[in-house]
Amino acid sequence: MKIYFPKEEKEVSRVYNFSAGPAVLPEEVLKEAAEEMFDYQGSGQSVMEMSHRSKVYDKIIKDAEADLRELMNIPDNYKVLFLQGGASQFFAEVPMNMMKNKKAGYIVTGQWAKKAYQEAKIYGEAVELASSADKTFSYIPDCSDLPITDDMDYVYICENNTIYGTKYKTLPNTKGKVLVSDVSSCFLSEPVDVTKYGVIYGGVQKNVGPAGCVIAIIREDLIPEECLPGTPTMLKWKTQADNDSLYNTPPCYTIYICGKVFKWLKKMGGLEKMKELNEKKAKVLYDFLDSSKMFKGTVVKEDRSLMNVPFVTGNEELDAKFVKEATAAGFVNLKGHRSVGGMRASIYNAMPIEGVEKLVEFMKKFEEENA
Ligand SMILES: *Cc1c(COP(=O)(O)O)cnc(C)c1O
């Protein structure tokens, strides 16, 4: 059978997509995936169609893991798992697999941290160690001397707060306890020292790939023989680790695209380089917000995220007008999360700097026209 693809040359026009997730992906990756859609490297099949037990797929998942290990410099005593259920499912997996003493500390810096904290309460005693709820989560609390007790199994953080736009610039002092971190919205945005964590995990649909997969990097000694009673087989990390994430059918296509993003990141120069690019990109927007009379960032300067930038005009009608006109001009998904209002620009790895520069130009023009 012969398929001519693409059937004809067609111009595709793309928007600047500031979505918090699912979010923008590198165009190079999308193009490659399109080219391989009908026939992945001579297999005569799409990756969507092939067995997860086939040799060709085995190479895809193994290469993805190897490239991720290289990018993040993951030590050998950490397992890399590709899981389903989203980050939200993982909120339960953490206590199910880690609450031996049935007690853990949570730092509540936003909605995702709060959801994880509330989920943990189902399984044991979750203690709120600190919170920034008093100022609508616009800062990261001082974590140098938290009320961590000896009987806590771990300390949990959400490292980059997608909704509120804050990020930990230094990790909390966990007083020797294992650190568990949700990095969904800052995954691969800059280098990390994996050895400082017991568990690093994130949903890939923010900064890595399409929805459908959570990547968890777990120190081997933290994968228990026994979980809390009643833990489903699928949610036991041991099940997943013993089967190299192939206990059942994994999210095959998502992992394949993630693998392509890892290769793209390597080609871009790795995570040091991404950090440099992301800092440059975020500075364009933050510098404008600091100089604008109309638009204001909502986060204290020292805790600003490189990935998610919330801002407001202070006038809800004007916010709505801005979002509407921005959308018409090709800058989409700028509406803030329903819990904060205003606007939010998510400027993940795959957002080119031109996208941010053009957005700022548009904001300047809007400010002049509406002054
Ligand atoms: C989006 C997000 C989540 C929830 O992810 P799901 O995969 O939809 O469950 C959790 N944590 C953070 C930091 C997020 O940004």
Side-chain angles (χ1 to χ4, degrees), residues 13-25:
S13 77
R14 304 248 310 157
V15 290
Y16 287 113
N17 180 5
F18 295 93
S19 170
V24 59
L25 288 169

Side-chain angles (χ1 to χ4, degrees), residues 48 139 313 359:
M48 278 185 216
Y139 70 104
T313 64
L359 173 67

Side-chain angles (χ1 to χ4, degrees), residues 85-89 91 112 158 160 162 182 184-185 203 205-206:
S88 301
Q89 170 81 275
F91 296 166
W112 297 119
C158 176
N160 184 79
T162 324
D182 173 357
S184 292
S185 48
Q205 73 273 25
K206 307 285 160 66

Side-chain angles (χ1 to χ4, degrees), residues 201-231:
Y201 81 94
V204 300
Q205 73 273 25
K206 307 285 160 66
N207 202 24
V208 186
C213 183
V214 160
I215 295 175
I217 301 157
I218 307 176
R219 212 175 67 207
E220 267 167 3
D221 61 292
L222 299 172
I223 299 176
E225 287 298 322
E226 295 288 336
C227 293
L228 294 185
T231 301

